[in-house]
Amino acid sequence: MDSALHLATPQAPTGGINTEGLADFLRTFFAPLFLAIVSVVALFFLFTREITRFVQFILLAIAIGVIFYVPNIIEVAAKAIAGALGIK
């Protein structure tokens, strides 16, 4: 009878939300989409001969691309933001 009671009693989760592999999932999902969009927009700026906007766009794309391609930068940024907000 004790085992039936044990099975019917809901258990509280032992930890928080499991985010293991979230950064890898985001990287593999958004990175190819990001590269496709950057390529199309860069070609548009080149064909319309807007060199200043092209350079600005490429610099912005490189900065955003670092987020997707540098290992562990999402985790480091999330921990830094959480620490700044006082969340442990």
Side-chain angles (χ1 to χ4, degrees), residues 26-76:
L26 291 174
R27 215 174 273 122
T28 57
F29 184 75
F30 286 112
L33 181 65
F34 173 74
L35 287 176
I37 292 171
V38 166
S39 300
V40 169
V41 174
L43 286 174
F44 171 76
F45 284 140
L46 281 177
F47 284 131
T48 58
R49 296 184 182 177
E50 296 182 36
I51 302 302
T52 305
R53 284 191 182 182
F54 171 74
V55 171
Q56 291 172 349
F57 177 74
I58 291 299
L59 292 176
L60 181 63
I62 290 171
I64 293 171
V66 165
I67 294 171
F68 290 113
Y69 291 110
V70 173
N72 298 329
I73 195 150
I74 296 173
E75 293 92 343
V76 171

